[in-house]
Amino acid sequence: YAAMNSVATFCSIWAACAKAGVEFWAVDNGHFGSAQKIMRRRYFRFGHGRPLPRFRKDVELDGSRFERFRIVPAPWSRNDSGSVLLCPPVKSYGLVEAAWIDGIRQAISPSLRDRIVIRHKGDPFPLMKAIRGASVVVSRFSRVALEALAAGVPVIETEGMIRDWNGLGPEAIGRAELSVGDRFSLFRFASWTQFTLAEIESGFAWRVSFRLQADPRPFLAKERVELCR
């Protein structure tokens, strides 16, 4: 596995494992964002084969794990005049930022292109203020996307867990279906892909992570109950 304390090192290991066909796990800070910093540092997320886990639609997980974070998602917002907020991936993730941004510009309606606002990681403008002023947030492999969904703002991911969940790409920006979907199923799943050090040391984190992320077998109802213990 690779601990993501250095993005450049992580990406080098990720690329080398993919080329060699070696199984790869990424371990990083937990999913839930800036308002949960203290809690987040106590949890570490697991991603099989990529920085964030793949969302599975064939399993419904117990919600008590998500509830411990005391996050109350806001109702879906409808800000038709808000920005199209682009949060580009960190440069070391192997994407050319200009090409990523241009790909989104080309995919959306010309009438929306003037509303594009780009916010890089570490920009001084407050993240949540930028999110609340947006009609949609666009990202890739980003915890920002979960924070936006919790704030009721629709999200597009070009690649990542949310893309698996809603199946929508940049071409859907401006459509009504952006603000539909069971966010709680996504949040519950995300909460079962991050673990405490005690859960990692006991083997519980690895058992759950392998079954949810690396094992393609469909889930049985009995197994869902046992997994949540």
PDB file of all heavy atoms in Angstrom, residues 1 19 27 29 53 90 92 95-96 99 113 118 125 144 151 156 189 196 203 210 225-226:
ATOM      1  N   TYR A   1       0.840  -1.174   0.000  1.00  0.00           N
ATOM      2  CA  TYR A   1       0.000   0.000   0.000  1.00  0.00           C
ATOM      3  C   TYR A   1       0.887   1.240   0.000  1.00  0.00           C
ATOM      4  O   TYR A   1       2.062   1.163   0.312  1.00  0.00           O
ATOM      5  CB  TYR A   1      -0.951   0.004   1.209  1.00  0.00           C
ATOM      6  CG  TYR A   1      -0.300   0.372   2.522  1.00  0.00           C
ATOM      7  CD1 TYR A   1      -0.373   1.690   2.989  1.00  0.00           C
ATOM      8  CD2 TYR A   1       0.378  -0.568   3.275  1.00  0.00           C
ATOM      9  CE1 TYR A   1       0.231   2.034   4.172  1.00  0.00           C
ATOM     10  CE2 TYR A   1       0.982  -0.227   4.465  1.00  0.00           C
ATOM     11  CZ  TYR A   1       0.913   1.075   4.914  1.00  0.00           C
ATOM     12  OH  TYR A   1       1.504   1.431   6.076  1.00  0.00           O
ATOM     13  N   LYS A  19       1.438  -0.766 -13.938  1.00  0.00           N
ATOM     14  CA  LYS A  19       2.225  -1.309 -15.056  1.00  0.00           C
ATOM     15  C   LYS A  19       2.645  -2.747 -14.795  1.00  0.00           C
ATOM     16  O   LYS A  19       2.643  -3.587 -15.700  1.00  0.00           O
ATOM     17  CB  LYS A  19       3.458  -0.435 -15.277  1.00  0.00           C
ATOM     18  CG  LYS A  19       4.296  -0.848 -16.482  1.00  0.00           C
ATOM     19  CD  LYS A  19       5.451   0.119 -16.693  1.00  0.00           C
ATOM     20  CE  LYS A  19       6.272  -0.289 -17.930  1.00  0.00           C
ATOM     21  NZ  LYS A  19       7.394   0.668 -18.138  1.00  0.00           N
ATOM     22  N   VAL A  27      -3.792   4.598   1.166  1.00  0.00           N
ATOM     23  CA  VAL A  27      -4.277   4.953   2.499  1.00  0.00           C
ATOM     24  C   VAL A  27      -4.062   6.449   2.699  1.00  0.00           C
ATOM     25  O   VAL A  27      -2.951   6.947   2.510  1.00  0.00           O
ATOM     26  CB  VAL A  27      -3.535   4.165   3.595  1.00  0.00           C
ATOM     27  CG1 VAL A  27      -4.076   4.545   4.973  1.00  0.00           C
ATOM     28  CG2 VAL A  27      -3.663   2.664   3.365  1.00  0.00           C
ATOM     29  N   ASN A  29      -6.028  10.338   4.615  1.00  0.00           N
ATOM     30  CA  ASN A  29      -6.957  10.850   5.613  1.00  0.00           C
ATOM     31  C   ASN A  29      -8.385  10.483   5.250  1.00  0.00           C
ATOM     32  O   ASN A  29      -8.711  10.259   4.083  1.00  0.00           O
ATOM     33  CB  ASN A  29      -6.844  12.378   5.713  1.00  0.00           C
ATOM     34  CG  ASN A  29      -5.542  12.820   6.338  1.00  0.00           C
ATOM     35  OD1 ASN A  29      -4.999  12.133   7.200  1.00  0.00           O
ATOM     36  ND2 ASN A  29      -5.030  13.951   5.908  1.00  0.00           N
ATOM     37  N   PRO A  53     -12.076   4.788  -3.122  1.00  0.00           N
ATOM     38  CA  PRO A  53     -12.725   3.515  -3.430  1.00  0.00           C
ATOM     39  C   PRO A  53     -13.778   3.643  -4.518  1.00  0.00           C
ATOM     40  O   PRO A  53     -14.247   4.734  -4.826  1.00  0.00           O
ATOM     41  CB  PRO A  53     -13.371   3.126  -2.094  1.00  0.00           C
ATOM     42  CG  PRO A  53     -13.577   4.422  -1.391  1.00  0.00           C
ATOM     43  CD  PRO A  53     -12.405   5.270  -1.776  1.00  0.00           C
ATOM     44  N   VAL A  90      -4.762  17.655  -8.093  1.00  0.00           N
ATOM     45  CA  VAL A  90      -3.374  18.036  -7.837  1.00  0.00           C
ATOM     46  C   VAL A  90      -2.526  17.644  -9.038  1.00  0.00           C
ATOM     47  O   VAL A  90      -2.691  16.560  -9.604  1.00  0.00           O
ATOM     48  CB  VAL A  90      -2.859  17.337  -6.564  1.00  0.00           C
ATOM     49  CG1 VAL A  90      -1.389  17.664  -6.314  1.00  0.00           C
ATOM     50  CG2 VAL A  90      -3.709  17.746  -5.367  1.00  0.00           C
ATOM     51  N   SER A  92       0.320  16.506  -9.561  1.00  0.00           N
ATOM     52  CA  SER A  92       1.101  15.267  -9.527  1.00  0.00           C
ATOM     53  C   SER A  92       0.274  14.026  -9.822  1.00  0.00           C
ATOM     54  O   SER A  92       0.823  12.943  -9.962  1.00  0.00           O
ATOM     55  CB  SER A  92       1.776  15.113  -8.157  1.00  0.00           C
ATOM     56  OG  SER A  92       2.658  16.174  -7.911  1.00  0.00           O
ATOM     57  N   LEU A  95      -2.471  14.201 -14.490  1.00  0.00           N
ATOM     58  CA  LEU A  95      -3.299  14.856 -15.491  1.00  0.00           C
ATOM     59  C   LEU A  95      -2.750  16.243 -15.788  1.00  0.00           C
ATOM     60  O   LEU A  95      -2.260  16.925 -14.904  1.00  0.00           O
ATOM     61  CB  LEU A  95      -4.743  14.994 -14.995  1.00  0.00           C
ATOM     62  CG  LEU A  95      -5.611  13.735 -14.983  1.00  0.00           C
ATOM     63  CD1 LEU A  95      -7.009  14.104 -14.530  1.00  0.00           C
ATOM     64  CD2 LEU A  95      -5.657  13.068 -16.338  1.00  0.00           C
ATOM     65  N   VAL A  96      -2.842  16.648 -17.023  1.00  0.00           N
ATOM     66  CA  VAL A  96      -2.476  18.012 -17.385  1.00  0.00           C
ATOM     67  C   VAL A  96      -3.685  18.890 -17.074  1.00  0.00           C
ATOM     68  O   VAL A  96      -4.757  18.712 -17.654  1.00  0.00           O
ATOM     69  CB  VAL A  96      -2.095  18.110 -18.873  1.00  0.00           C
ATOM     70  CG1 VAL A  96      -1.782  19.556 -19.243  1.00  0.00           C
ATOM     71  CG2 VAL A  96      -0.901  17.207 -19.167  1.00  0.00           C
ATOM     72  N   ALA A  99      -5.631  20.571 -19.882  1.00  0.00           N
ATOM     73  CA  ALA A  99      -6.401  19.631 -20.699  1.00  0.00           C
ATOM     74  C   ALA A  99      -7.664  19.180 -19.964  1.00  0.00           C
ATOM     75  O   ALA A  99      -8.727  19.018 -20.582  1.00  0.00           O
ATOM     76  CB  ALA A  99      -5.531  18.421 -21.058  1.00  0.00           C
ATOM     77  N   ARG A 113     -20.236  28.315 -20.075  1.00  0.00           N
ATOM     78  CA  ARG A 113     -18.775  28.431 -19.977  1.00  0.00           C
ATOM     79  C   ARG A 113     -18.329  29.705 -19.292  1.00  0.00           C
ATOM     80  O   ARG A 113     -17.293  29.726 -18.624  1.00  0.00           O
ATOM     81  CB  ARG A 113     -18.163  28.316 -21.374  1.00  0.00           C
ATOM     82  CG  ARG A 113     -18.333  26.912 -21.968  1.00  0.00           C
ATOM     83  CD  ARG A 113     -17.903  26.844 -23.421  1.00  0.00           C
ATOM     84  NE  ARG A 113     -18.233  25.527 -23.981  1.00  0.00           N
ATOM     85  CZ  ARG A 113     -18.197  25.239 -25.278  1.00  0.00           C
ATOM     86  NH1 ARG A 113     -17.849  26.192 -26.153  1.00  0.00           N
ATOM     87  NH2 ARG A 113     -18.506  24.027 -25.700  1.00  0.00           N
ATOM     88  N   ILE A 118     -12.483  28.616 -11.311  1.00  0.00           N
ATOM     89  CA  ILE A 118     -11.490  27.588 -10.995  1.00  0.00           C
ATOM     90  C   ILE A 118     -10.910  27.858  -9.614  1.00  0.00           C
ATOM     91  O   ILE A 118     -10.435  28.963  -9.329  1.00  0.00           O
ATOM     92  CB  ILE A 118     -10.368  27.567 -12.048  1.00  0.00           C
ATOM     93  CG1 ILE A 118     -10.958  27.254 -13.429  1.00  0.00           C
ATOM     94  CG2 ILE A 118      -9.294  26.538 -11.684  1.00  0.00           C
ATOM     95  CD1 ILE A 118      -9.974  27.423 -14.568  1.00  0.00           C
ATOM     96  N   PHE A 125      -9.347  31.870  -1.017  1.00  0.00           N
ATOM     97  CA  PHE A 125     -10.796  32.065  -0.963  1.00  0.00           C
ATOM     98  C   PHE A 125     -11.430  30.872  -0.251  1.00  0.00           C
ATOM     99  O   PHE A 125     -11.174  29.711  -0.616  1.00  0.00           O
ATOM    100  CB  PHE A 125     -11.368  32.198  -2.370  1.00  0.00           C
ATOM    101  CG  PHE A 125     -12.801  32.644  -2.393  1.00  0.00           C
ATOM    102  CD1 PHE A 125     -13.141  33.978  -2.219  1.00  0.00           C
ATOM    103  CD2 PHE A 125     -13.827  31.723  -2.586  1.00  0.00           C
ATOM    104  CE1 PHE A 125     -14.464  34.395  -2.231  1.00  0.00           C
ATOM    105  CE2 PHE A 125     -15.148  32.126  -2.602  1.00  0.00           C
ATOM    106  CZ  PHE A 125     -15.470  33.464  -2.425  1.00  0.00           C
ATOM    107  N   VAL A 144     -13.470  17.218  -1.616  1.00  0.00           N
ATOM    108  CA  VAL A 144     -14.288  18.421  -1.820  1.00  0.00           C
ATOM    109  C   VAL A 144     -15.668  18.042  -2.344  1.00  0.00           C
ATOM    110  O   VAL A 144     -16.677  18.651  -1.981  1.00  0.00           O
ATOM    111  CB  VAL A 144     -13.582  19.385  -2.795  1.00  0.00           C
ATOM    112  CG1 VAL A 144     -14.516  20.539  -3.180  1.00  0.00           C
ATOM    113  CG2 VAL A 144     -12.309  19.933  -2.169  1.00  0.00           C
ATOM    114  N   ALA A 151     -23.396  19.760   1.506  1.00  0.00           N
ATOM    115  CA  ALA A 151     -23.943  21.119   1.526  1.00  0.00           C
ATOM    116  C   ALA A 151     -25.136  21.271   0.589  1.00  0.00           C
ATOM    117  O   ALA A 151     -25.703  22.370   0.485  1.00  0.00           O
ATOM    118  CB  ALA A 151     -22.851  22.119   1.137  1.00  0.00           C
ATOM    119  N   ILE A 156     -20.251  16.777 -10.017  1.00  0.00           N
ATOM    120  CA  ILE A 156     -19.801  15.932 -11.124  1.00  0.00           C
ATOM    121  C   ILE A 156     -18.363  15.538 -10.831  1.00  0.00           C
ATOM    122  O   ILE A 156     -17.540  16.394 -10.494  1.00  0.00           O
ATOM    123  CB  ILE A 156     -19.849  16.684 -12.476  1.00  0.00           C
ATOM    124  CG1 ILE A 156     -21.287  16.935 -12.911  1.00  0.00           C
ATOM    125  CG2 ILE A 156     -19.083  15.930 -13.551  1.00  0.00           C
ATOM    126  CD1 ILE A 156     -22.042  15.697 -13.348  1.00  0.00           C
ATOM    127  N   PHE A 189     -21.687   4.365   2.434  1.00  0.00           N
ATOM    128  CA  PHE A 189     -20.614   3.577   1.821  1.00  0.00           C
ATOM    129  C   PHE A 189     -19.254   4.195   2.141  1.00  0.00           C
ATOM    130  O   PHE A 189     -18.308   3.492   2.520  1.00  0.00           O
ATOM    131  CB  PHE A 189     -20.814   3.496   0.308  1.00  0.00           C
ATOM    132  CG  PHE A 189     -19.836   2.578  -0.372  1.00  0.00           C
ATOM    133  CD1 PHE A 189     -20.118   1.227  -0.511  1.00  0.00           C
ATOM    134  CD2 PHE A 189     -18.629   3.062  -0.856  1.00  0.00           C
ATOM    135  CE1 PHE A 189     -19.210   0.374  -1.129  1.00  0.00           C
ATOM    136  CE2 PHE A 189     -17.719   2.225  -1.475  1.00  0.00           C
ATOM    137  CZ  PHE A 189     -18.011   0.881  -1.614  1.00  0.00           C
ATOM    138  N   THR A 196     -10.361   3.549  11.909  1.00  0.00           N
ATOM    139  CA  THR A 196      -9.450   3.998  12.949  1.00  0.00           C
ATOM    140  C   THR A 196      -8.194   3.127  12.932  1.00  0.00           C
ATOM    141  O   THR A 196      -8.172   2.039  12.337  1.00  0.00           O
ATOM    142  CB  THR A 196     -10.104   3.883  14.329  1.00  0.00           C
ATOM    143  OG1 THR A 196     -10.367   2.499  14.605  1.00  0.00           O
ATOM    144  CG2 THR A 196     -11.408   4.667  14.385  1.00  0.00           C
ATOM    145  N   GLY A 203      -7.256  -5.875  11.959  1.00  0.00           N
ATOM    146  CA  GLY A 203      -7.552  -6.600  10.722  1.00  0.00           C
ATOM    147  C   GLY A 203      -8.953  -6.334  10.204  1.00  0.00           C
ATOM    148  O   GLY A 203      -9.276  -6.699   9.067  1.00  0.00           O
ATOM    149  N   PHE A 210     -11.378  -5.319   1.713  1.00  0.00           N
ATOM    150  CA  PHE A 210     -11.224  -6.307   0.650  1.00  0.00           C
ATOM    151  C   PHE A 210     -12.581  -6.745   0.122  1.00  0.00           C
ATOM    152  O   PHE A 210     -12.786  -6.832  -1.096  1.00  0.00           O
ATOM    153  CB  PHE A 210     -10.438  -7.522   1.145  1.00  0.00           C
ATOM    154  CG  PHE A 210     -10.219  -8.552   0.066  1.00  0.00           C
ATOM    155  CD1 PHE A 210      -9.148  -8.432  -0.818  1.00  0.00           C
ATOM    156  CD2 PHE A 210     -11.093  -9.617  -0.099  1.00  0.00           C
ATOM    157  CE1 PHE A 210      -8.956  -9.358  -1.832  1.00  0.00           C
ATOM    158  CE2 PHE A 210     -10.912 -10.541  -1.103  1.00  0.00           C
ATOM    159  CZ  PHE A 210      -9.839 -10.415  -1.977  1.00  0.00           C
ATOM    160  N   VAL A 225     -25.305  -8.027   6.969  1.00  0.00           N
ATOM    161  CA  VAL A 225     -25.426  -7.871   8.422  1.00  0.00           C
ATOM    162  C   VAL A 225     -24.099  -8.168   9.092  1.00  0.00           C
ATOM    163  O   VAL A 225     -23.629  -7.428   9.959  1.00  0.00           O
ATOM    164  CB  VAL A 225     -26.531  -8.784   8.973  1.00  0.00           C
ATOM    165  CG1 VAL A 225     -26.570  -8.696  10.480  1.00  0.00           C
ATOM    166  CG2 VAL A 225     -27.887  -8.383   8.376  1.00  0.00           C
ATOM    167  N   GLU A 226     -23.448  -9.257   8.698  1.00  0.00           N
ATOM    168  CA  GLU A 226     -22.185  -9.659   9.325  1.00  0.00           C
ATOM    169  C   GLU A 226     -21.095  -8.638   9.048  1.00  0.00           C
ATOM    170  O   GLU A 226     -20.248  -8.376   9.907  1.00  0.00           O
ATOM    171  CB  GLU A 226     -21.780 -11.041   8.806  1.00  0.00           C
ATOM    172  CG  GLU A 226     -22.709 -12.153   9.281  1.00  0.00           C
ATOM    173  CD  GLU A 226     -22.363 -13.498   8.687  1.00  0.00           C
ATOM    174  OE1 GLU A 226     -21.566 -13.522   7.717  1.00  0.00           O
ATOM    175  OE2 GLU A 226     -22.888 -14.511   9.165  1.00  0.00           O
TER     176      GLU A 226
END
